[in-house]
Amino acid sequence: MPSTVNNNSNKIELLRAFSSRPILTFEEDKKFFTSFEKDIESTILAIDTFENVLIVGDHGSGKSSLLNHISYKLTDDENALLIKLSALDFENFNRQNFLKHVVEILREESKQNRSKSGKLLDGFIRTMSDKRMQDEMEERRPKEYNDLSKLQTRFVTMVEHLKENQIKICIIVDDIDKINSNLVWLTFRNIRDQIWKSKISIILTVLPNQVSEITKSPLDHFFSYWVKISAFDFKSTKELVQRRLDYAHSNIKIDDGAIKETLRRTGGNPRDILDVFRRVFESEKTSNLISKQDIEQVGIVFSNKLPSIEKEIFNYLVHNSDSSSSSTDFAKKMRVSRSRIAQILSKLRKEGYIISHKQGNVVRYSVTDSGLERRKEI
Ligand SMILES: Nc1ncnc2c1ncn2[C@@H]1O[C@H](COP(=O)(O)OP(=O)(O)OP(=O)(O)O)[C@@H](O)[C@H]1O
Ligand SMILES: [Mg+2]
């Protein structure tokens, strides 16, 4: 009989290690990060070539973690200046507020005077021939922040000075997935040429269904790199779990059947993978060997994180059983393309919310009993 983990401090260590918060830029969090080497490489290449990037992924797929890991790597480069923002910091996401936040961070950087770019900016502000502008820069919150054209001049002056000194500037905005994509499009539509001219890179984390709106004309060439975060496979799931067990100094073993069952239930979403294991560890009867049955006992991971478009599609099917993705009515009601509907249907089917059956050449979808049961959780 396997011994049971009844030591409470072990349990707390485990639950801490399996937290589903994003991986942050702490030294210890670095140990948790797995996979995505290629995605990191292509993002860094984009920055080096002054291109903008969309990091595309579903809720909990690892966008913030990837971003933080990239920024961790960039801090080693003294010629790189990273301006990190979250869309949640903005009262309204628009051009004025975007520039305001960036200028404010640049001024802070110059005051701290520690990094290479901070020193450059500090020296630059001190030697400004325009005394009035110098005073404004040194003031805590210049009134001119409310004047868009002055704000833009500050932005351009500081950025160009850094660029003249070979500093790579990268502005990353996380949590774009939490705001309206049209606002994002409006913000960057208005400063597109300025960003191009200044040779800055912008990196945004977005949901798959935001991409088409954000990249509609005239921003169709603006975000030239899309880094699509892929689902965790068997190997990376195993690694994700093992790294956290090691961190908690746990001697628990997970057999391959348990990993496979977790993957089947979660579709390889790392946040859901962590949720499954946390539930296993929360149970009083955790043994030192976790097998498929332990995962099965967790029950279904209730996903209250379905993105709104997936919820809408699911709800449509509740009321319109046996619908097909090629129905024009369906696409029109959902306001997304038919191919996007087909993609979401396939995801909902994999997660067990819906089933499909073929009728002639047409594939029809309906909600499953388990999907209906889970409906209140969606
Ligand atoms: N590459 C990775 N290696 C290990 N763990 C990861 C990795 N990517 C994500 N995770 C884990 O998965 C969980 C979800 O990640 P994260 O918060 O980065 O996702 P997200 O896409 O930003 O989610 P949201 O849409 O809610 O902002 C976190 O607990 C994180 O630690
Ligand atoms: Mg995130």
Side-chain angles (χ1 to χ4, degrees):
M1 275 291 280
S3 61
T4 54
V5 182
N6 45 17
N7 178 333
N8 216 26
S9 71
N10 279 357
K11 184 165 161 170
I12 287 173
E13 285 293 301
L14 272 173
L15 294 175
R16 278 189 190 144
F18 281 75
S19 158
S20 58
R21 66 164 173 76
I23 294 180
L24 302 173
T25 46
F26 298 139
E27 189 66 34
E28 59 174 35
D29 272 25
K30 225 172 124 186
K31 298 192 193 112
F32 288 158
F33 198 83
T34 66
S35 316
F36 301 136
E37 282 311 320
K38 275 217 182 83
D39 295 339
I40 294 173
E41 268 171 41
S42 41
T43 310
I44 292 191
L45 180 65
I47 298 170
D48 284 339
T49 52
F50 316 130
E51 298 288 356
N52 305 315
V53 187
L54 294 181
I55 295 185
V56 188
D58 286 317
H59 289 296
S61 59
K63 299 179 295 297
S64 303
S65 301
L66 176 65
L67 206 58
N68 288 334
H69 202 69
I70 290 169
S71 62
Y72 196 90
K73 291 207 154 188
L74 282 177
T75 45
D76 289 342
D77 182 350
E78 66 154 10
N79 286 318
L81 172 64
L82 202 68
I83 301 177
K84 248 176 111 177
L85 304 170
S86 160
L88 299 175
D89 298 338
F90 292 71
E91 212 165 303
N92 293 306
F93 196 82
N94 57 29
R95 170 167 54 151
Q96 178 129 5
N97 285 338
F98 178 77
L99 293 174
K100 222 185 227 179
H101 274 86
V102 173
V103 168
E104 202 144 283
I105 290 184
L106 289 174
R107 291 174 66 248
E108 276 308 312
E109 187 82 18
S110 81
K111 275 196 207 134
Q112 286 182 7
N113 197 347
R114 271 198 307 252
S115 63
K116 180 170 170 185
S117 27
K119 287 189 182 120
L120 279 168
L121 279 173
D122 185 47
F124 176 60
I125 293 175
R126 281 172 201 279
T127 56
M128 263 180 185
S129 51
D130 183 341
K131 180 79 179 84
R132 222 175 56 106
M133 190 154 152
Q134 186 178 348
D135 290 345
E136 280 163 17
M137 292 288 210
E138 284 177 346
E139 215 179 294
R140 181 73 194 99
R141 241 171 229 280
K143 291 178 221 56
E144 280 66 20
Y145 275 14
N146 297 325
D147 179 331
L148 185 58
S149 72
K150 283 192 178 165
L151 189 60
Q152 202 141 330
T153 316
R154 303 289 171 278
F155 171 78
V156 172
T157 328
M158 293 211 245
V159 161
E160 284 184 353
H161 180 70
L162 290 173
K163 296 301 301 189
E164 275 162 21
N165 287 281
Q166 273 67 48
I167 301 284
K168 296 182 263 189
I169 303 174
C170 173
I171 305 177
I172 60 184
V173 194
D174 195 8
D175 292 319
I176 287 288
D177 48 330
K178 322 271 185 309
I179 61 169
N180 180 326
S181 15
N182 190 44
L183 295 178
V184 183
W185 176 77
L186 276 171
T187 301
F188 291 107
R189 184 195 65 173
N190 291 333
I191 42 175
R192 183 193 74 168
D193 291 2
Q194 189 57 60
I195 301 283
W196 266 334
K197 216 159 97 195
S198 310
K199 296 185 175 158
I200 297 173
S201 285
I202 310 271
I203 307 184
L204 309 180
T205 57
V206 303
L207 291 171
N209 62 349
Q210 292 182 305
V211 174
S212 55
E213 177 127 49
I214 294 176
T215 58
K216 70 187 180 199
S217 174
L219 295 185
D220 36 0
H221 304 293
F222 190 63
F223 291 100
S224 52
Y225 281 73
W226 297 1
V227 174
K228 169 87 185 78
I229 298 203
S230 28
F232 272 55
D233 60 8
F234 180 83
K235 187 169 161 269
S236 35
T237 304
K238 211 169 161 163
E239 194 182 329
L240 174 140
V241 175
Q242 194 54 52
R243 280 178 185 245
R244 289 170 197 255
L245 287 174
D246 291 346
Y247 179 80
H249 306 292
S250 167
N251 56 1
I252 291 181
K253 299 270 172 282
I254 317 276
D255 78 11
D256 286 359
I259 300 282
K260 277 191 197 135
E261 181 58 19
T262 308
L263 262 180
R264 199 184 68 76
R265 279 164 184 255
T266 59
N269 178 296
R271 180 172 296 147
D272 291 345
I273 295 171
L274 291 166
D275 281 348
V276 166
F277 280 95
R278 255 206 335 273
R279 286 189 197 206
V280 171
F281 302 138
E282 270 163 11
S283 98
E284 285 308 314
K285 308 177 290 304
T286 310
S287 74
N288 276 352
L289 177 71
I290 293 176
S291 60
K292 186 177 171 195
Q293 285 88 321
D294 296 301
I295 306 293
E296 279 167 350
Q297 270 161 25
V298 168
I300 287 162
V301 189
F302 292 123
S303 178
N304 52 6
K305 304 165 203 118
L306 273 192
S308 56
I309 182 67
E310 294 181 16
K311 275 186 224 167
E312 272 186 57
I313 289 184
F314 177 83
N315 286 331
Y316 180 89
L317 288 179
V318 171
H319 301 290
N320 302 276
S321 204
D322 283 340
S323 292
S324 116
S325 62
S326 49
S327 143
T328 40
D329 188 41
F330 196 174
K332 219 191 279 164
K333 279 228 170 74
M334 295 301 123
R335 302 173 307 279
V336 290
S337 67
R338 280 194 235 168
S339 61
R340 180 75 190 125
I341 289 195
Q343 223 178 5
I344 294 173
L345 287 171
S346 139
K347 180 168 180 261
L348 290 175
R349 191 173 56 76
K350 269 200 220 136
E351 290 170 3
Y353 288 98
I354 61 174
I355 44 162
S356 63
H357 67 95
K358 245 186 148 175
Q359 200 175 52
N361 284 334
V362 183
V363 184
R364 298 193 176 277
Y365 295 87
S366 351
V367 169
T368 58
D369 288 344
S370 122
L372 273 180
E373 254 171 54
R374 283 190 273 164
R375 191 176 170 205
K376 16 182 200 321
E377 316 279 342
I378 290 179

